[in-house]
Amino acid sequence: METIANNNIMNNEINATKRTDIYQIDPRNIVVVEGFNARKNFDLDELKEQIRKVGVLNPITVIPFKDKETGAEKYRLVDGERRYRAVMALLAEGEDIKRIKAMYLPKGTKEEDLLIQQLLKNTGKQFSEIEMAKLFNRFKEQWGYTQTEIADKFCKKASFVSRCMALLELPAEIIEMMERGEISADTARQIVSQNKDDEDAQVEAADKAVKTAKAKGKKTATTKDIPVNVRAANLIAKIRKDLKKYATLMDSLDGENAEVMMTNAINVYEQTAEWENAAKDLTPKAVSEPQTAEEVDEVEKVA
């Protein structure tokens, strides 16, 4: 009897299943609002082949509305533009796709909430840092949000929001490279840090990194594609920064050994003052263009 009573209590506490409707809609009735999506680089080839074989697995998100001229039901796209573009490309190639899965949002949903949905509900290719930077900046410029408030809205750390938004201060040419997916954000940061007061040098170094990556058959330039002399300068800068921290720690400790270690760190720090600029002026050794994956690996090890 006690077991039955306990089961009844548990049953009373169980929440009822909530229904979430997944609709099947004609992709040709979807409307994309120009400038709404933060994404710029859609890269459809692989996704098209996936959809060709198994269809659109994850529902897109839309807001249904009536067309004022025809009265037909249309759908404003909120999330899933990459899937939508891939489907439309397949339709143009003659594929027979009558409907795709979609979830509805209420018609009165605020623009801010739509943008948040776009990022938080992203189930495909993740947004890049520069794409997120532009989205965060829209909240700052259009609605007056602080970086802390933006971080809270998007469930991100404030330091991450700040790091992303700092990318918008880079030269326009490098921002465009990031938007096209030609160079990673970290690579751009390293290049700029070594040419802080020379935008022309920043753009030239970024362009070289992109060309190096393409010569290796890579879509996106990473830190390995930065010229070796620039990478050496970056490493020296990091070592000197760590030496300064180390000397400060030794200064906070008692004893003769701590004082000697602090003095040695300061000496090395001072001796390497010109190394960073000297490294940037060096010329990398000429290396023949790699022909195989194994040769690429060997070149990476040397670099």
Side-chain angles (χ1 to χ4, degrees):
M1 291 293 291
E2 185 178 346
T3 301
I4 294 173
N6 287 340
N7 285 341
N8 286 336
I9 292 171
M10 289 178 64
N11 287 336
N12 289 336
E13 292 176 349
I14 293 174
N15 295 319
T17 300
K18 184 177 180 180
R19 179 183 175 187
T20 302
D21 288 324
I22 304 293
Y23 296 87
Q24 297 281 345
I25 66 173
D26 188 330
R28 290 164 294 193
N29 286 332
I30 292 172
V31 175
V32 178
V33 177
E34 185 70 28
F36 172 73
N37 199 340
R39 191 186 299 286
K40 299 298 180 185
N41 177 28
F42 290 92
D43 191 18
L44 302 178
D45 292 343
E46 187 176 332
L47 181 59
K48 275 173 57 182
E49 292 311 307
Q50 179 189 2
I51 293 174
R52 196 192 305 273
K53 291 177 181 178
V54 297
V56 179
L57 299 179
N58 294 311
I60 64 172
T61 306
V62 298
I63 297 177
F65 68 94
K66 291 289 183 182
D67 187 284
K68 292 181 179 179
E69 294 182 2
T70 65
E73 186 164 57
K74 299 282 187 177
Y75 311 95
R76 176 185 172 178
L77 187 64
V78 174
D79 169 60
E81 185 171 348
R82 187 164 166 263
R83 279 161 279 165
Y84 163 76
R85 283 175 177 251
V87 166
M88 296 307 289
L90 289 170
L91 285 171
E93 293 174 9
E95 291 290 328
D96 184 22
I97 304 175
K98 292 182 173 61
R99 296 176 182 82
I100 60 174
K101 299 175 184 177
M103 296 180 66
Y104 287 2
L105 283 180
K107 294 179 182 179
T109 306
K110 293 192 297 184
E111 191 79 2
E112 299 165 55
D113 294 330
L114 296 181
L115 290 167
I116 293 168
Q117 287 274 341
Q118 183 186 102
L119 183 61
L120 297 186
K121 289 191 69 174
N122 184 257
T123 53
K125 182 182 177 183
Q126 296 300 305
F127 283 106
S128 67
E129 286 188 54
I130 190 62
E131 288 169 340
M132 285 190 278
K134 293 206 163 187
L135 185 56
F136 297 155
N137 192 57
R138 187 170 175 183
F139 272 70
K140 176 185 174 184
E141 297 296 331
Q142 192 168 338
W143 294 294
Y145 281 83
T146 65
Q147 288 190 7
T148 302
E149 290 168 337
I150 292 169
D152 184 59
K153 278 279 185 183
F154 287 93
C155 304
K156 302 288 184 183
K157 290 183 178 180
S159 58
F160 175 77
V161 173
S162 177
R163 182 177 166 84
C164 286
M165 292 183 71
L167 294 172
L168 299 176
E169 299 173 9
L170 303 187
E173 295 90 338
I174 296 180
I175 290 176
E176 288 172 6
M177 290 179 199
M178 287 189 287
E179 287 180 334
R180 293 193 296 266
E182 293 176 341
I183 190 168
S184 72
D186 281 341
T187 308
R189 289 186 184 101
Q190 283 205 27
I191 288 171
V192 170
S193 71
Q194 284 304 319
N195 303 278
K196 292 179 181 177
D197 301 318
D198 190 342
E199 285 197 4
D200 290 339
Q202 293 170 9
V203 174
E204 183 181 353
D207 189 55
K208 283 182 180 178
V210 169
K211 287 177 179 176
T212 299
K214 287 182 178 178
K216 298 175 185 176
K218 296 166 60 179
K219 286 184 178 180
T220 305
T222 64
T223 52
K224 288 185 177 181
D225 301 306
I226 297 174
V228 181
N229 57 324
V230 176
R231 284 156 56 190
N234 286 337
L235 183 58
I236 292 166
K238 182 179 184 303
I239 290 171
R240 296 191 75 239
K241 188 175 181 180
D242 288 343
L243 278 169
K244 199 171 181 180
K245 290 180 181 178
Y246 176 77
T248 302
L249 288 173
M250 291 302 103
D251 189 37
S252 66
L253 298 174
D254 288 327
E256 186 176 337
N257 284 342
E259 186 174 345
V260 170
M261 293 167 76
M262 179 191 72
T263 302
N264 288 340
I266 292 173
N267 289 338
V268 175
Y269 179 82
E270 291 175 348
Q271 290 168 12
T272 56
E274 298 301 320
W275 286 19
E276 189 176 340
N277 287 331
K280 284 194 289 186
D281 292 335
L282 297 175
T283 302
K285 290 181 180 178
V287 181
S288 59
E289 185 175 331
Q291 299 298 316
T292 66
E294 290 74 16
E295 288 175 329
V296 171
D297 290 339
E298 287 303 313
V299 172
E300 293 289 0
K301 289 175 185 176
V302 172

